[in-house]
Amino acid sequence: MAMAGTLTQVTQALSKASISCSAAPISSYSSTNRGVSLTSSLWCNTDSLKRRCENVTRAAKATTTSAVLLGDDYEESEEDIQAAYEALYGPAFGAGKEKRWEPTEDKDGEDDSAPQGRRRGRGASDDKPSKRDGDRSSRGGPKSEFEERVVQIRRVTKVVKGGKQLSFRAVVIVGDKKGKVGVGCAKAKEVITAVQKSSANAKRNLVTVPMTKYKTFPHRADGNYGAAHVVLRPASVGTGVIAGGSVRVVLELAGVENALGKQIGSENPLNNARAVVEAVTSMKQFREVARDRGIPMEELWK
């Protein structure tokens, strides 16, 4: 209603000004709604002013008639306000709908008149993926053959002269389940960055786990790293991986299906995982031992 009242006042003021349009001298004209002051020197064409005043008079009559018929509780709709503004100030000031661009087929399959950024969007009929969307299959490259597992994420603090620096440390184990496994550890300000750096570190430190055709170890082995001590034992077919903590994760990602593992000493996941790596690197296949000793493999079981 406030908008309608203001519009009514403007139309009344302009309708009063229309009375003096027929006279040759024009003293002054002011529109408080637009904040513009127009004097007679700005109007070089009296006919255009007359036509403008006639439009204002028609808009004022229409507004007054609707207000009388509908009462004081009547609220003008957006269409009525738009029509009144167009009558007062022309179609350029109306709240018209934006002209939407519609793609048209061209010889090259692309419209040169299309706005920038919409030529090859999601709605394009071209089967080729757009540069904006990108080809997600080729963006990340070929799928990695290694599987990653996050073993531990801890918040660590570094004390410096100015105070404390907080960061995150991630322990990640990667493996292809075909005999290759690696343990990585890295720190970063964010968890995601720490995991990515740790994964890259693990892939740079891959080791090969010797296994028999039954997916188990060729012999016993012990591994030590810091205060952690790990014992690995081969197992018969159908036993599965009997181990816990990071030892189990390392063995599963290495592809071992039948084995026994035991953590003795420290329970630190990082130290235990590295102890498993030390244990598997000390293992040897039967053919390697036979070659080093210069005897056939059958002699090893006698």
Side-chain angles (χ1 to χ4, degrees):
M1 292 298 293
M3 182 66 187
T6 304
L7 186 61
T8 305
Q9 294 176 3
V10 173
T11 53
Q12 291 176 358
L14 293 178
S15 61
K16 292 179 181 180
S18 64
I19 300 175
S20 60
C21 290
S22 57
I26 301 176
S27 59
S28 63
Y29 169 77
S30 63
S31 175
T32 58
N33 188 29
R34 301 292 295 180
V36 179
S37 178
L38 302 177
T39 60
S40 60
S41 59
L42 298 178
W43 296 93
C44 59
N45 191 353
T46 309
D47 295 335
S48 62
L49 181 59
K50 290 181 179 180
R51 288 194 299 269
R52 189 179 182 87
C53 292
E54 292 175 358
N55 294 335
V56 170
T57 304
R58 285 196 298 270
K61 289 181 180 180
T63 306
T64 305
T65 304
S66 61
V68 171
L69 294 177
L70 300 176
D72 296 336
D73 297 336
Y74 170 71
E75 294 185 1
E76 293 182 341
S77 62
E78 295 182 359
E79 291 76 7
D80 298 337
I81 296 175
Q82 177 182 348
Y85 266 102
E86 290 181 355
L88 290 174
Y89 308 109
F93 291 90
K97 297 183 180 178
E98 297 181 359
K99 184 177 180 181
R100 302 182 62 182
W101 172 79
E102 297 180 358
T104 56
E105 296 182 358
D106 198 0
K107 294 182 179 180
D108 298 335
E110 186 173 321
D111 187 9
D112 295 336
S113 62
Q116 190 68 21
R118 292 190 181 182
R119 295 184 180 180
R120 297 294 297 274
R122 294 179 181 269
S125 59
D126 195 2
D127 295 335
K128 187 182 297 183
S130 64
K131 294 181 180 179
R132 184 175 180 180
D133 296 340
D135 189 358
R136 300 185 184 274
S137 60
S138 61
R139 183 190 302 176
K143 186 177 180 181
S144 178
E145 59 179 351
F146 293 97
E147 181 179 346
E148 302 178 5
R149 290 191 190 179
V150 180
V151 176
Q152 185 185 50
I153 296 178
R154 296 187 64 179
R155 189 181 68 175
V156 295
T157 305
K158 180 182 179 181
V159 180
V160 295
K161 182 179 179 181
K164 296 181 179 180
Q165 293 181 354
L166 299 179
S167 59
F168 295 92
R169 188 192 73 171
V171 179
V172 178
I173 301 175
V174 300
D176 60 352
K177 294 186 177 182
K178 296 179 182 179
K180 291 184 179 181
V181 68
V183 179
C185 178
K187 292 183 289 186
K189 297 294 183 181
E190 298 180 0
V191 177
I192 298 177
T193 308
V195 171
Q196 293 175 352
K197 292 172 63 176
S198 181
S199 175
N201 184 22
K203 292 178 181 179
R204 289 195 298 266
N205 299 286
L206 294 173
V207 296
T208 303
V209 180
M211 291 183 293
T212 64
K213 62 180 180 180
Y214 301 110
K215 300 294 183 179
T216 186
F217 301 125
H219 58 84
R220 299 182 178 186
D222 296 347
N224 296 280
Y225 192 90
H229 178 64
V230 175
V231 178
L232 300 179
R233 299 289 185 266
S236 59
V237 179
T239 303
V241 178
I242 301 177
S246 59
V247 177
R248 182 184 186 89
V249 178
V250 174
L251 297 181
E252 288 181 349
L253 292 181
V256 180
E257 297 180 0
N258 304 290
L260 303 175
K262 180 64 178 177
Q263 298 179 4
I264 301 175
S266 175
E267 297 181 357
N268 191 326
L270 178 59
N271 288 347
N272 281 296
R274 289 179 173 174
V276 175
V277 173
E278 293 292 331
V280 297
T281 52
S282 64
M283 295 181 181
K284 292 184 179 180
Q285 293 283 12
F286 292 109
R287 58 178 176 272
E288 296 178 1
V289 176
R291 184 179 65 251
D292 294 341
R293 295 173 61 179
I295 60 176
M297 293 180 60
E298 290 78 7
E299 297 291 332
L300 297 176
W301 287 280
K302 289 184 179 179

